[in-house]
């Protein structure tokens, strides 16, 4: 694959290509799910939200398929070096994609509740946070296909942006809740939606790390996630 | 583990080793250290020089008339190509196990006793019995042959014969055991037995093994050296060589690629 010479066993090359194709397919499904979930939230479209929830099982099925296919490759081909790293990276990426799928599903479920309340201005902020996250996913999937470690490095910078969005949404939602207790219900759900998006960003950086691993064989220690809301205290006395 | 300087010194050192068969340059400028109490695997495609290198380590190449060995090979710092070296003594210190089990057409007992006898290692029959029993035990063969020590060795299965050859090699208390594809004629069960044995033997011996099976190299060795076209391309910890090889030629070979 890529710039490496072909295997003597053409069937093994074909299997590695299949693995990449399945992962690309899964990536595409996850992108669509997240886009659907955010769109449903923005428009209060419960029908679309229901579709997103229903489609999540397809992603789960594909995750299991990739998992079993990879185990089979390891057992039958006994891969080493870059082949081995690629297969393990694929297993981990698949599981990160599956989690992103779960986040999309959770956003869709919360949409069904939030849509019963009058719309809040925060949905626009959430949509702009979602755009950053969606761009990250697209970038990381492209970087994986191209095994491009430089493009993968870019993802880490983007994740800091996501964290900033999340922190500002956190404050915004707190403000709404303090203004009117009737907002607490929908705002709590939106807070979880924002947290889901923030975690999608984290899973995306995990995938970026796997690109480094597959290509270079290096694994960085757990990256520091900068979530300033972990220690944020609502300043109720100022209200 | 004892980390005194003597343990850190390699058991065998090869520097600038070149081997020629007539005009053919079979091994080119090889520098390699073999660490004590470790298994070092030599891998590479057919004709890469790995067996040639192995045979340099106990001067087996001396037997081939057209073969010329240049360079410096030392066992515990002593030049093994020094003209003063006694070859019989050298090969007692550096034993060898071959691809095909080659027991003598003698009894099981006599196969093991042969080496100690010619090296005068036993002072009495009881001494010899002790050497034979402990060698067979260490080779993991004792339980299978203890009731038929006088039976001909050729009646044993292939895997048993190979363990007998290992018992024969260790009976003369060598320091290093060279193994030239010791499992290539054996089935997977017999292979697994030999591999388990190699792992145990490294406590008492230093082992260098040539193998065509990369999985075997990965399973039994701590260090792996990859040879290609007479060059030592890469040597490193087996873990690293099989997960993150440095040289693209190593990567291609171990992952079964063309090129």
């Amino acid at each position: 694959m890529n710039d490496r010479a072909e295997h003597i066993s053409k069937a093994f090359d074909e299997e590695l290509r299949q693995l990449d194709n399945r992962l690309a397919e899964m990536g595409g499904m996850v992108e669509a799910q997240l886009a659907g979930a955010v769109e449903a939230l923005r428009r209060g479209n419960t029908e679309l939200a229901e579709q997103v929830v229903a489609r999540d099982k397809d992603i789960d099925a594909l995750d299991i398929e990739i998992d079993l296919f990879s185990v089979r490759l390891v057992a039958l081909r006994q891969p080493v070096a870059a082949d081995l790293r690629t297969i393990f990276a694929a297993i981990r990426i698949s599981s990160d994609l599956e989690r992103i799928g779960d986040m999309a599903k959770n956003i869709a479920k919360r949409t069904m509740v939030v849509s019963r309340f009058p719309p809040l201005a925060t949905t626009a902020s959430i949509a702009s946070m979602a755009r950053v996250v969606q761009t990250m996913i697209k970038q990381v999937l492209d970087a994986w296909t191209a095994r491009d470690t430089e493009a993968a490095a870019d993802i880490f910078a983007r994740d800091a942006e996501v964290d900033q969005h999340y922190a500002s949404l956190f404050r915004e939602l707190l403000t709404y809740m303090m203004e009117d207790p009737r907002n607490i219900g929908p705002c709590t759900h939106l807070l979880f939606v924002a947290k889901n998006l923030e975690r999608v960003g984290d899973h995306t950086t995990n995938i970026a790390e796997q690109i480094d691993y597959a290509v270079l064989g290096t694994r960085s220690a757990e990256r520091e996630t900068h979530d300033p809301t972990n220690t944020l205290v609502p300043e109720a006395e100022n209200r | 583990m004892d980390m005194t300087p003597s343990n850190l010194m390699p058991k065998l050192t090869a520097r600038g080793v070149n081997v020629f068969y007539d005009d053919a340059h079979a091994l080119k400028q090889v520098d390699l250290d073999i660490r004590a109490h470790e298994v070092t695997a030599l891998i590479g495609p057919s004709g890469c020089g790995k067996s040639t290198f192995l045979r340099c380590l106990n001067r087996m190449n001396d037997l081939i008339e057209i073969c010329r060995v240049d360079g410096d090979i030392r066992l515990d710092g002593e030049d093994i190509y020094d003209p003063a070296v006694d070859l019989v003594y050298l090969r007692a210190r550096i034993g060898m196990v071959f691809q095909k089990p080659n027991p003598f057409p003698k009894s099981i007992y006599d196969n093991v006793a042969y080496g100690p006898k010619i090296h005068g290692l036993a002072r009495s029959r009881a001494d010899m019995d002790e050497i034979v029993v402990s060698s067979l035990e260490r080779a993991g063969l004792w339980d299978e042959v203890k009731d038929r020590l006088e039976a001909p060795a050729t009646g044993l299965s292939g895997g048993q014969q190979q363990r007998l050859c290992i018992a024969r090699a260790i009976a003369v208390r060598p320091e290093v055991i060279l193994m030239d594809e010791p499992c290539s004629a054996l089935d997977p069960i017999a292979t697994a037995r030999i591999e388990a044995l190699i792992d145990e033997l490294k406590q008492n011996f230093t082992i260098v093994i040539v193998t065509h099976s990369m999985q075997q190299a990965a399973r039994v060795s701590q260090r792996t050296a990859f040879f290609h076209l007479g060059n030592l391309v890469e040597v490193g910890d087996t873990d690293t060589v099989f997960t993150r090889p440095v040289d693209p030629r190593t990567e291609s070979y171990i992952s079964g690629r063309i090129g």
Side-chain angles (χ1 to χ4, degrees), chain A residues 179-206:
Chain A
E179 272 173 9
D180 183 349
R182 280 172 298 182
N183 285 336
I184 289 175
C187 282
T188 306
H189 283 292
L190 289 174
L191 198 54
F192 277 111
V193 167
K195 182 68 188 171
N196 281 335
L197 289 172
E198 189 269 332
R199 288 178 64 187
V200 170
D202 291 345
H203 285 293
T204 310
T205 59
N206 287 348

Side-chain angles (χ1 to χ4, degrees), chain A residues 36-99:
Chain A
V38 173
E39 178 68 8
L41 179 73
R42 218 159 56 86
R43 301 197 181 278
N45 184 341
T46 53
E47 204 177 311
L48 179 56
E50 276 167 23
Q51 285 171 13
V52 169
V53 171
R55 272 198 300 261
D56 185 55
K57 64 176 184 329
D58 297 342
I59 292 176
D60 293 354
L62 202 46
D63 176 42
I64 292 169
E65 192 185 317
I66 288 172
D67 204 85
L68 295 178
F69 187 72
S70 304
V71 168
R72 193 178 136 254
L73 277 187
V74 170
L76 302 187
R77 300 290 180 187
Q78 290 147 30
V80 293
D83 297 332
L84 181 66
R85 299 197 306 265
T86 298
I87 293 168
F88 272 86
I91 295 173
R92 297 193 192 111
I93 290 173
S94 161
S95 112
D96 275 311
L97 287 174
E98 190 273 330
R99 294 295 297 148

Side-chain angles (χ1 to χ4, degrees), chain B residues 204 208 221 225 244:
Chain B
N204 296 305
V208 186
S221 73
R244 283 179 289 133

Side-chain angles (χ1 to χ4, degrees), chain B residues 19-96:
Chain B
V19 176
F20 301 86
Y21 294 110
D22 271 341
D23 293 336
H25 200 172
L27 212 53
K28 299 165 187 166
Q29 209 59 26
V30 171
D31 295 336
L32 183 62
D33 288 347
I34 306 291
R35 296 183 188 163
H37 300 289
E38 280 193 354
V39 180
T40 301
L42 312 181
I43 62 167
S46 296
C48 69
K50 59 190 187 298
S51 290
T52 295
F53 180 75
L54 188 79
R55 296 162 64 90
C56 288
L57 297 178
N58 68 346
R59 293 182 57 178
M60 290 291 281
N61 287 329
D62 289 16
L63 304 173
I64 303 166
E65 220 165 275
I66 58 165
C67 180
R68 197 177 91 235
V69 179
D70 283 349
D72 185 70
I73 299 178
R74 287 170 189 274
L75 171 65
D76 287 336
E78 294 167 42
D79 181 4
I80 68 165
Y81 280 86
D82 188 317
V85 165
D86 175 355
L87 270 189
V88 175
Y89 178 62
L90 174 72
R91 291 186 191 140
R93 291 181 72 191
I94 307 181
M96 192 152 187

